[in-house]
Amino acid sequence: MDAGIVTTHIPPAKGYGGVSVTAAVLTRAWAQRGHKMRLVASDESINGHLRPEHVKLGEQVTVRLYSCYGFRRWGFGLGAVPELFKLCLRAPVVYIHGIATWPSTLAAIFCTLMRRPFMVAVHGGLMPEHVALIRQQKPHKWLFYKWLTFPTLRRAIAVHCTSSTEAQGVRNVLGENARILLVPNGIASSDFYVAPYPLGEGVRLCFLGHVQQEKGINAFIRAWLKVRQSADRLVIAGRSVDGAYFQEFQDLVEQAQGAICYRGYLERDEVMVLLAASHFLVLPSGLEEAGGMRENFGNVVAEAMAAGRPVLVAKGLAWDDLESLGAGFVFGRNEASVCEVLNKVQALSHLTWEQMSWNSRQYVEHQLDAVKLGDKVWQVLTDRGQTSFPQLLARES
């Protein structure tokens, strides 16, 4: 075993996108390089428990799934204790996806006690606004962070961040000398096909993600309703949780009188069809004033670009240079800026869109190649202090 991998959920688990997808892509990339790994995760999925044979990460990866039977989002199950203990005891180095979940916290504690080298990818858990929200409104969780999360992070080889905003969030809580590796998430672009320009009238937008406040979708809809033209359409796909925010969302959908279609959770093939039928993907995370935004990267942006779809994205994530790349538009986190960008989109020519589509795909192929970016992370993960970390950080970032 060259490394141990810990994640709360792993594909094909449904309903737990971001972190689980990243864990799978990175592990597959390392497996392609011939690295031998053992992965521990919960068997949780919203449509039934997984079995190891369901998880396809390559022959180099041994998968161990423990039973999850409580606090499903955090992957709770006592079977994690022996599995993670054995992993941390035997693996020469451990890579942990996420913080403050049951398996990620246990793994960090075991590695610290055993003096086993480990790296942590915080996956948005320390975004500045998210941390501020926890400090103000969730005192028990803040104590958890102070007593368990922060002390173990300080013992890590490095904290893997995917955007400068996320890195600043880590520095805010760990100090300016925090060991941070800044490498974006990779994408296996060969898994995505580029569909031609969607024909028909109007501009078709799609949103892929949870219908929840931190994603900012309701604020975006309110702006879109003010400037949309009669043939424009917005399709929304993703899980929802009953509550005031989802009720507001349903009211906005009704107000649109058929211009908004809510599809709920979609399978992977259905997502590809939806992207092919859309002109732009939208990621408005952080648009709500009280959202506690924790979007560190936005895998869905990279996936849409791999499918040749330009993107409309809120400022402050990993995509602030999107316009300079000619791959979409960035809007400020206010209604006026959203409306301004939507007006630009409505005036866009077919030829300009084609160029943006091409630029999007090219950027993913050349800058977000999963294997090449995985090599950068692996170098620091397995270096174990043999080279000066600041030099490595400067080179890798």
Side-chain angles (χ1 to χ4, degrees):
M1 179 172 27
D2 297 315
I5 312 295
V6 177
T7 183
T8 311
H9 308 99
I10 191 72
K14 296 181 180 178
Y16 302 98
V19 179
S20 65
V21 170
T22 300
V25 171
L26 185 58
T27 304
R28 287 193 193 102
W30 286 341
Q32 287 183 47
R33 290 302 198 198
H35 305 311
K36 295 181 179 180
M37 292 160 285
R38 185 183 184 93
L39 179 141
V40 174
S42 74
D43 65 357
E44 166 60 19
S45 178
I46 62 173
N47 67 334
H49 295 293
L50 301 180
R51 294 196 300 271
E53 58 267 26
H54 296 153
V55 182
K56 308 296 184 182
L57 298 173
E59 295 181 358
Q60 301 289 90
V61 185
T62 301
V63 177
R64 300 291 297 180
L65 302 180
Y66 63 86
S67 296
C68 177
Y69 45 80
F71 302 99
R72 299 167 67 185
R73 182 178 175 185
W74 292 278
F76 180 78
L78 293 180
V81 178
E83 288 294 345
L84 291 171
F85 182 84
K86 288 186 290 185
L87 181 75
C88 298
L89 182 65
R90 298 172 182 173
V93 65
V94 178
Y95 185 97
I96 302 171
H97 288 274
I99 59 172
T101 68
W102 174 244
S104 64
T105 301
L106 274 179
I109 292 172
F110 284 152
C111 286
T112 300
L113 293 175
M114 297 177 190
R115 299 186 178 181
R116 182 72 65 229
F118 67 102
M119 183 184 292
V120 179
V122 288
H123 289 290
L126 294 181
M127 289 288 281
E129 293 175 44
H130 182 63
V131 171
L133 182 70
I134 292 173
R135 294 187 70 168
Q136 295 167 9
Q137 301 181 19
K138 301 179 179 181
H140 294 95
K141 188 170 184 178
W142 180 243
L143 287 177
F144 184 97
Y145 271 45
K146 289 180 66 175
W147 291 346
L148 294 175
T149 302
F150 298 158
T152 52
L153 283 175
R154 291 189 177 96
R155 298 293 298 272
I157 298 169
V159 178
H160 181 187
C161 296
T162 55
S163 68
S164 57
T165 305
E166 182 175 41
Q168 186 56 52
V170 173
R171 293 190 187 97
N172 290 347
V173 295
L174 299 185
E176 289 300 320
N177 293 324
R179 296 183 295 272
I180 295 172
L181 177 65
L182 187 57
V183 176
N185 290 338
I187 292 292
S189 57
S190 59
D191 293 343
F192 298 83
Y193 66 90
V194 179
Y197 181 84
L199 299 177
E201 297 183 5
V203 177
R204 274 165 271 172
L205 308 179
C206 72
F207 167 84
L208 299 171
H210 295 318
V211 179
Q212 58 189 31
Q213 193 171 43
E214 67 183 43
K215 294 291 186 179
I217 185 58
N218 286 359
F220 179 83
I221 291 174
R222 289 193 292 270
W224 181 78
L225 287 173
K226 290 186 175 182
V227 299
R228 79 172 185 90
Q229 298 176 354
S230 59
D232 292 346
R233 296 292 182 267
L234 172 61
V235 180
I236 295 165
R239 290 184 66 194
S240 62
V241 179
D242 290 337
Y245 194 80
F246 185 63
Q247 182 58 56
E248 180 190 8
F249 167 76
Q250 291 178 308
D251 293 341
L252 289 168
V253 171
E254 185 176 351
Q255 183 181 335
Q257 298 181 332
I260 299 175
C261 175
Y262 175 51
R263 299 280 303 277
Y265 184 85
L266 296 182
E267 299 289 349
R268 188 71 169 176
D269 292 346
E270 295 174 302
V271 168
M272 296 302 296
V273 172
L274 175 55
L275 284 172
S278 304
H279 294 100
F280 287 84
L281 173 100
V282 176
L283 184 64
S285 296
L287 199 55
E288 303 280 7
E289 291 184 4
M293 193 269 285
R294 59 169 295 171
E295 194 86 58
N296 61 311
F297 183 74
N299 285 340
V300 67
V301 172
E303 292 175 352
M305 292 170 67
R309 272 13 190 194
V311 182
L312 312 180
V313 62
K315 188 175 182 179
L317 307 181
W319 305 100
D320 286 353
D321 60 347
L322 202 64
E323 292 190 28
S324 65
L325 300 174
F329 296 100
V330 178
F331 50 81
R333 289 161 65 176
N334 60 79
E335 189 173 272
S337 183
V338 175
C339 291
E340 181 181 354
V341 163
L342 289 172
N343 287 331
K344 289 180 182 179
V345 169
Q346 290 165 346
L348 210 63
S349 69
H350 184 156
L351 184 61
T352 302
W353 184 93
E354 292 280 7
Q355 183 63 53
M356 295 178 78
S357 172
W358 189 85
N359 292 342
S360 298
R361 175 69 181 203
Q362 289 298 303
Y363 179 79
V364 172
E365 288 184 352
H366 295 288
Q367 301 299 325
L368 297 180
D369 179 81
V371 175
K372 292 179 180 178
L373 293 177
D375 288 344
K376 293 184 176 183
V377 179
W378 186 266
Q379 178 186 356
V380 178
L381 178 68
T382 57
D383 181 76
R384 300 174 209 161
Q386 296 177 27
T387 305
S388 169
F389 187 82
Q391 293 176 359
L392 272 176
L393 176 58
R395 183 162 70 249
E396 299 307 334
S397 61

